[in-house]
Amino acid sequence: MGTVPASYYQFIIDYAPYFYYIPGTGVDPEWGRGPAPAAHAIDFLYEAYYDSQFESKKTEISSKIVALADYLLSIQCNDNLKLAYGGFKSKDGSDYYYSIDAMRAIPTLLKAYDLTGTTAYLNATELAGETFLYNMQHKPSELGQHDRYYGGFAQAVTTADAWLLNMHIIDLHGLVGLKMLYDRISESQYKTMIDDALGFYREGFEDLYLYYKPPPSGDGEWHRIGSSENEIYDDDFSYALNGLFWYEGWSETVEKVYTLLNAISSSVDYPVYNPAVCWAGYIDVVSRKPACEYYDAVTSGILRQIRAGYDALSLEFSVKIISLHQDEFMYWGPKFTDYSPVENKKATVTVSWLSLLFLKYNAVLTPFTRVLRKQGERVTLHPVREAKEYVSYGEELTIKAIVNPTRPDEIVIEPGYIVNDYITIHVFSAIRYHDKIEWQGVAYEIGPVEDFRFQGKTMYRRAVCRRLIG
């Protein structure tokens, strides 16, 4: 298993369930505390409790899990006359109770129950599932807020029984909690809720839409965001993929959506963007390009299980980058160019997911990586940062490659070059076209990159590289 940075663990102990910590100031008073940082902190701490790295921290971890679980109980709506009954207040001072927050809380409270045996935690999950989420799925149509029953979940409801009626694909993350409850209780209601949700969300999800606006207040169409409605939130899709993968594995839907989003790479505006690190905060899925200047760091952690099983190349590269920039990735939005934060806020949800990434990380072992470790040569990779009038490169990374001379029949030799100016590399790393490598003191530009795949997995990447002159 991997090793969690001490600063990550201590951050969670010190600041969960607060959303953000502002260095030099303290916790962010605007956001305060909420169910999302509490729940995802428990997700990590529960796994850490059973890991040898934290053998000496068991008492501290157990106490923190209890404190966070008790906090979740304290923000659960217990007024059975309210539509929010069984939901969890979205943050300090809010009147909103979101479906996604109940979906986050259910799995973590079940873990807290397993660890402590506290019946109140189990009871809270059943109230959140069979009452609150059931109502969020059914009540809008029963009360005439929707023109019919859809199977999706209303986004939120307030303590004044006012609705946010749009149904967001992020709620596919709720499959985790609903399936966990079904496995424990064998109540058919949960299976019906799951089937109805899948039947509704799948089409919009596969077409890369964010939410549906149901009639009579909405237009009965799926939507994205942005001025042209071309953009999506990457974390919504990451959570949805995580829930769907947890429920049905590497299904056609999961493979399709993950592959579509992970294939959106650098652009003229953002040449340094590399989806193998993690995904951009906003993605233009129509024009197929990032739509902002920063990574949404949390997606590195949310996508861990998918990448471990089906995209280990991205997993390896992601862990390498984050390991080199541990402090920068504690902020929710590191910039593509230098990983500096887009906003001066370290995020508890992000740190929790990345801590789980480190904790569960195992170096990838395949026939190719075994050969690479024994026979590969060290080369220095310089990711392209800008490719306009002058080309500039980012920080250097040391990777291993199988390096061979390029045969004349493999290339079209360009004017001014000879065949000895070309090499062919085979790597297990997220190299890209126009990146630079240095091998034996000579700099080369990477040409078009080919992925070699087997059974849906990338086994290695190959590229012909041309010596840089001048």
Side-chain angles (χ1 to χ4, degrees):
M1 290 294 186
T3 300
V4 180
S7 59
Y8 281 39
Y9 169 78
Q10 196 59 49
F11 184 91
I12 293 167
I13 293 295
D14 289 344
Y15 298 114
Y18 286 92
F19 278 93
Y20 300 108
Y21 169 77
I22 304 172
T25 301
V27 295
D28 180 7
E30 178 184 355
W31 280 84
R33 301 167 301 170
H40 295 308
I42 292 176
D43 285 336
F44 161 67
L45 292 170
Y46 179 79
E47 298 295 332
Y49 181 85
Y50 294 102
D51 191 271
S52 59
Q53 180 185 346
F54 297 101
E55 185 66 34
S56 65
K57 301 286 189 180
K58 280 182 174 287
T59 300
E60 181 178 50
I61 291 172
S62 178
S63 296
K64 186 66 176 182
I65 289 175
V66 168
L68 292 171
D70 287 347
Y71 165 74
L72 287 172
L73 294 188
S74 76
I75 61 171
Q76 188 171 34
C77 178
N78 291 310
D79 186 344
N80 61 7
L81 298 179
K82 298 294 183 182
L83 291 173
Y85 182 47
F88 298 85
K89 182 185 298 187
S90 64
K91 66 175 184 176
D92 286 342
S94 174
D95 292 325
Y96 284 87
Y97 292 74
Y98 283 80
S99 293
I100 186 60
D101 285 328
M103 294 166 174
R104 289 180 168 118
I106 288 170
T108 55
L109 285 171
L110 288 173
K111 293 170 186 175
Y113 169 71
D114 289 341
L115 184 67
T116 67
T118 304
T119 306
Y121 302 155
L122 178 61
N123 294 340
T125 66
E126 294 176 6
L127 181 61
E130 69 184 29
T131 299
F132 178 71
L133 288 179
Y134 181 87
N135 286 343
M136 298 300 283
Q137 193 177 37
H138 290 80
K139 284 291 185 182
S141 58
E142 293 175 6
L143 299 175
Q145 300 293 311
H146 291 175
D147 65 335
R148 63 179 178 84
Y149 176 70
Y150 288 89
F153 298 87
Q155 185 182 23
V157 69
T158 71
T159 51
D161 293 342
W163 295 95
L164 295 180
L165 291 167
N166 295 340
M167 295 177 283
H168 291 243
I169 57 93
I170 192 176
D171 289 335
L172 285 169
H173 182 67
L175 296 172
V176 177
L178 292 173
K179 180 62 162 57
M180 289 175 72
L181 285 171
Y182 177 69
D183 288 344
R184 287 170 182 256
I185 302 170
S186 298
E187 172 58 58
S188 61
Q189 172 180 305
Y190 292 121
K191 184 63 166 60
T192 301
M193 292 171 69
I194 290 171
D195 291 343
D196 288 353
L198 285 172
F200 170 71
Y201 286 114
R202 195 181 297 274
E203 180 181 358
F205 182 61
E206 288 186 348
D207 289 338
L208 304 183
Y209 285 102
L210 272 173
Y211 64 94
Y212 181 81
K213 298 175 69 172
S217 57
D219 58 10
E221 300 289 342
W222 284 95
H223 291 269
R224 304 186 186 102
I225 57 169
S227 58
S228 301
E229 290 208 5
N230 288 351
E231 298 172 17
I232 62 165
Y233 301 123
D234 72 298
D235 55 339
D236 281 28
F237 271 82
S238 298
Y239 278 113
L241 280 166
N242 180 66
L244 199 57
F245 180 74
W246 195 94
Y247 185 74
E248 62 186 28
W250 188 244
S251 64
E252 290 184 9
T253 298
V254 173
E255 181 179 10
K256 175 183 178 181
V257 173
Y258 178 81
T259 302
L260 282 171
L261 294 179
N262 205 57
I264 296 174
S265 190
S266 56
S267 66
V268 173
D269 293 328
Y270 302 111
V272 75
Y273 172 62
N274 190 336
V277 177
C278 54
W279 289 347
Y282 296 84
I283 300 174
D284 184 333
V285 296
V286 176
S287 300
R288 308 285 298 164
K289 62 183 182 180
C292 66
E293 64 176 340
Y294 60 88
Y295 291 111
D296 196 351
V298 72
T299 57
S300 300
I302 301 172
L303 296 172
R304 172 187 61 84
Q305 289 181 296
I306 291 176
R307 289 183 162 183
Y310 295 91
D311 188 12
L313 187 147
S314 290
L315 177 69
E316 287 271 297
F317 193 76
S318 179
V319 170
K320 179 186 283 286
I321 293 295
I322 298 169
S323 296
L324 292 172
H325 298 276
Q326 292 177 12
D327 188 69
E328 291 95 324
F329 274 82
M330 296 175 79
Y331 296 87
W332 64 264
K335 294 179 182 178
F336 303 148
T337 51
D338 60 3
Y339 308 116
S340 61
V342 72
E343 186 177 22
N344 187 35
K345 290 182 180 181
K346 293 184 175 181
T348 304
V349 171
T350 297
V351 175
S352 298
W353 275 107
L354 295 187
S355 295
L356 200 53
L357 170 68
F358 280 117
L359 187 71
K360 295 294 185 179
Y361 171 72
N362 284 308
V364 177
L365 289 177
T366 67
F368 178 77
T369 61
R370 289 186 177 96
V371 170
L372 194 62
R373 290 181 184 185
K374 290 183 178 180
Q375 301 179 19
E377 302 181 58
R378 290 185 179 275
V379 300
T380 304
L381 173 67
H382 299 263
V384 66
R385 185 185 300 274
E386 193 170 28
K388 297 181 180 178
E389 185 177 354
Y390 298 99
V391 179
S392 63
Y393 299 95
E395 64 170 358
E396 62 183 48
L397 297 170
T398 300
I399 62 173
K400 277 198 166 185
I402 303 294
V403 184
N404 296 310
T406 301
R407 300 193 312 269
D409 62 335
E410 293 180 305
I411 54 171
V412 175
I413 299 176
E414 299 170 76
Y417 290 87
I418 60 175
V419 68
N420 291 342
D421 290 325
Y422 296 85
I423 58 173
T424 299
I425 60 171
H426 298 77
V427 301
F428 193 76
S429 188
I431 60 171
R432 299 169 306 155
Y433 188 28
H434 294 310
D435 284 350
K436 179 176 75 173
I437 65 161
E438 293 180 6
W439 173 65
Q440 295 185 350
V442 180
Y444 297 83
E445 182 184 48
I446 296 175
V449 177
E450 298 176 86
D451 276 12
F452 286 81
R453 302 175 66 82
F454 179 69
Q455 295 183 342
K457 303 177 183 180
T458 299
M459 306 308 293
Y460 61 88
R461 283 184 172 174
R462 174 188 181 275
V464 172
C465 308
R466 184 192 65 187
R467 185 168 66 89
L468 284 168
I469 298 175

